[in-house]
């Protein structure tokens, strides 16, 4: 039987599961060595810095890989995971990753921490493991769960210094927009669909205007669509 395309190999699933357990264990070690009670005003930053240095030394000495870089941000997440989950829950999570041959990894678990409500988060994690979500799929579900808008869209956009190249980039963005909305139109709510239709008209007008500056005949012209 051919494996589903959204499943990883048993070896990779086992590695993902082992890294989840290791992440939790390192978090527990960090909490034990530097408990929250010690993070008092004026001393917290220094003590967390010392703890970070200790874990980096340990990682180097043991040649251990946590599949993530250690910094103050990840240190806080390690501690949060250790505080939120006990060994039984982590091992249950790891076993499910193996059973479903899921791509769920430490990156998934860390990103899920953005959902503060534990019940909602645990439900998302269970579905993410069962359906072997990609990290981007989980991030979209996290945004919905938090009721938050997307605050960024990846890296800062590159604006070429050359005027003609700017027009080429802009034309590509127009084409991507029009192709995406054409495929997604039927999946959008009616109110949003109407707004997108108006935006399509404006984007198509920009594309038409660009064609005058970058003449390439019919090859460079976009598709006109009706809804």
């Amino acid at each position: 039987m051919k494996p589903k395309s959204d499943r990883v190999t048993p070896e990779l699933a086992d590695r993902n599961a082992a890294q989840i357990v290791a992440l939790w264990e390192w978090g527990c070690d960090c909490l034990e060595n530097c408990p929250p009670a010690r993070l008092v005003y004026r001393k917290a930053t220094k003590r967390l810095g010392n703890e970070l240095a200790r874990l980096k030394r340990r990682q180097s000495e043991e040649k251990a890989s946590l599949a993530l870089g250690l910094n103050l941000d990840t240190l806080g997440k390690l501690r949060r995971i250790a505080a939120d989950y006990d060994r039984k829950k982590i091992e249950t999570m790891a076993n499910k990753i193996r059973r479903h041959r899921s791509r769920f990894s430490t990156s998934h678990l860390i990103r899920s921490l953005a959902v503060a409500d534990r019940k909602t988060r645990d439900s998302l994690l269970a579905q993410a493991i069962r359906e072997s979500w990609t990290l981007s799929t989980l991030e979209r579900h996290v945004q919905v769960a938090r009721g938050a808008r997307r605050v960024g869209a990846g890296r800062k956009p590159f604006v070429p210094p050359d005027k003609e190249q700017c027009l080429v980039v802009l034309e590509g963005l127009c084409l991507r927009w029009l192709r995406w909305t054409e495929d997604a139109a039927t999946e959008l709510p009616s109110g949003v669909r109407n707004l997108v239709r108006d935006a399509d008209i404006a984007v198509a007008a920009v594309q038409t205007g660009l064609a005058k500056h970058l003449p390439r005949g019919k090859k460079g012209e976009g598709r006109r669509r009706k809804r």
Side-chain angles (χ1 to χ4, degrees):
M1 180 178 176
K2 186 178 179 180
K4 295 182 179 179
S5 60
D6 60 349
R7 303 297 158 181
V8 300
T9 64
E11 294 77 15
L12 181 53
D14 185 64
R15 185 161 74 244
N16 288 343
Q19 288 174 346
I20 291 286
V21 175
L23 189 75
W24 177 82
E25 289 178 340
W26 278 59
C28 289
D29 176 64
C30 182
L31 284 180
E32 183 177 355
N33 190 69
C34 182
R38 293 191 62 202
L39 301 179
V40 295
Y41 181 61
R42 294 182 182 273
K43 295 183 179 181
T45 301
K46 181 178 180 180
R47 285 177 175 170
L48 285 175
N50 291 339
E51 184 61 16
L52 177 61
R54 183 185 73 86
L55 291 182
K56 284 185 173 181
R57 287 195 301 271
R58 175 187 167 188
Q59 189 176 40
S60 177
E61 292 167 358
E62 298 179 7
K63 294 182 173 54
S65 175
L66 287 175
L68 79 164
L70 282 174
N71 53 49
L72 285 176
D73 180 63
T74 54
L75 184 71
K77 291 179 171 63
L78 283 174
R79 295 169 64 87
R80 172 90 177 275
I81 289 168
D84 283 0
Y85 298 93
D86 58 24
R87 179 171 290 278
K88 182 179 179 180
K89 290 180 179 178
I90 285 294
E91 290 184 345
T92 297
M93 188 184 301
N95 289 334
K96 288 181 179 179
I97 291 171
R98 294 186 179 96
R99 184 168 70 252
H100 292 289
R101 288 173 49 191
S102 179
R103 58 166 57 93
F104 190 93
S105 66
T106 53
S107 296
H108 291 74
L109 181 56
I110 287 172
R111 295 295 177 88
S112 73
L113 295 176
V115 180
D117 182 74
R118 277 292 307 279
K119 185 177 180 180
T120 302
R121 188 202 311 164
D122 289 347
S123 177
L124 276 180
L125 293 185
Q127 188 176 0
I129 293 171
R130 185 172 62 253
E131 298 180 11
S132 192
W133 284 353
T134 62
L135 185 58
S136 59
T137 298
L138 175 64
E139 287 174 333
R140 291 194 296 270
H141 282 270
V142 166
Q143 288 166 1
V144 172
R146 296 179 63 210
R149 296 182 299 173
R150 189 172 183 179
V151 296
R155 298 178 180 176
K156 181 179 179 180
F158 172 67
V159 179
D162 180 77
K163 179 179 179 181
E164 188 171 89
Q165 289 299 311
C166 281
L167 298 179
V168 170
V169 171
L170 180 56
E171 183 185 45
L173 292 173
C174 290
L175 286 169
R176 287 179 60 190
W177 169 271
L178 293 171
R179 287 171 180 166
W180 191 90
T181 56
E182 181 176 28
D183 290 341
T186 57
E187 304 299 324
L188 301 174
S190 59
V192 175
R193 195 183 311 140
N194 293 336
L195 295 172
V196 168
R197 184 178 58 227
D198 293 340
D200 281 349
I201 295 171
V203 172
V206 172
Q207 186 186 355
T208 300
L210 289 170
K212 298 177 183 178
H213 296 277
L214 295 170
R216 289 189 298 272
K218 293 184 178 179
K219 186 177 179 180
E221 295 178 3
R223 296 175 292 176
R224 291 186 177 181
R225 300 165 296 145
K226 293 182 178 180
R227 288 189 185 161

